[in-house]
Amino acid sequence: MSTSTDVRLAVLGCAGVGKSAVVVRFLTNRFIWEYDPTLEATYKHEVVVDEETISLEIFDTAGQDESGSWTAWADALLLVYDITERASLTHASHIKALAARPLPVVLLGNKIDLEHTRQVSFEEGEQAAMELGAGFFECSACTSEGGLSEAFLELARETRRIRAAQSRPRRRSSTTHVRQAFSKMLTKIGS
């Protein structure tokens, strides 16, 4: 297995959606009941994606996403919303608009363990993700249900795919080859 460069993921969403709980669940497989909602933190974690070891650097924001401090730093975005709070989905869509450049994005609906108070249907979340050009998962950081880990792995996979595509040498189109061949032929005929 080879190791690629770090993939920097910014975890964004409004206060109270469970960003820190999602990150901690992913890193430790534990749920935290109490935390300081004003703290930003960066974590490093290695994962294996498609037989390649990738070092993730995860920036857990403190819900102050409008500062844009993540825009130049991040390689990918995990936008978290709370399925029991409709406004948090709108906020997640607003955050994506702040990105200074196109980035891989996954929209993650958290708190599916609170289905009885759901305000955002699965279909609405899926539709919002399509409009954002993002992947989509739902999960519960509390119970570990759903696609929490898959959301992080999908972002690592997509970032790796984009980097691989950018590093491949570009081939000239067949039209360019034909044009050059005719130009050489005409040059030889003309001389």
Side-chain angles (χ1 to χ4, degrees):
M1 284 188 268
S2 63
T3 302
S4 71
T5 56
D6 287 350
V7 172
R8 296 175 306 225
L9 306 178
V11 181
L12 305 160
C14 61
V17 298
K19 295 179 300 297
S20 295
V22 163
V23 171
V24 170
R25 174 61 82 174
F26 175 69
L27 297 174
T28 68
N29 204 26
R30 293 193 172 115
F31 180 69
I32 53 173
W33 289 97
E34 295 180 19
Y35 61 95
D36 185 344
T38 63
L39 293 180
E40 289 185 341
T42 304
Y43 305 92
K44 284 207 173 224
H45 185 70
E46 284 194 348
V47 295
V48 177
V49 177
D50 302 331
E51 299 182 15
E52 180 181 1
T53 302
I54 296 177
S55 178
L56 296 179
E57 192 169 354
I58 302 168
F59 178 42
D60 177 11
T61 64
Q64 307 301 318
D65 306 323
E66 280 79 13
S67 70
S69 60
W70 50 270
T71 58
W73 178 85
D75 296 318
L77 307 177
L78 181 62
L79 302 178
V80 182
Y81 72 95
D82 175 351
I83 68 154
T84 69
E85 184 62 46
R86 181 168 299 284
S88 68
L89 178 61
T90 304
H91 184 76
S93 298
H94 171 71
I95 294 167
K96 165 77 164 61
L98 297 175
R101 61 196 184 347
L103 296 170
V105 177
V106 164
L107 182 64
L108 180 65
N110 189 25
K111 304 186 183 181
I112 61 173
D113 55 301
L114 301 176
E115 182 68 36
H116 60 285
T117 58
R118 182 187 278 269
Q119 290 183 4
V120 180
S121 71
F122 180 88
E123 293 76 20
E124 288 173 299
E126 197 172 44
Q127 180 63 37
M130 282 182 21
E131 291 170 6
L132 293 170
F136 177 67
F137 297 91
E138 284 190 338
C139 73
S140 168
C142 180
T143 64
S144 194
E145 294 174 72
L148 190 146
S149 293
E150 290 82 358
F152 284 91
L153 298 178
E154 180 62 27
L155 285 171
R157 182 177 289 115
E158 184 63 13
T159 302
R160 188 189 65 175
R161 187 193 65 72
I162 289 169
R163 286 181 180 165
Q166 290 172 342
S167 68
R168 279 189 222 119
R170 291 187 167 248
R171 292 180 10 178
R172 290 183 280 179
S173 73
S174 58
T175 307
T176 303
H177 286 289
V178 170
R179 202 175 309 136
Q180 288 177 345
F182 276 125
S183 180
K184 284 181 184 178
M185 199 169 36
L186 292 174
T187 302
K188 286 182 181 180
I189 293 173
S191 28

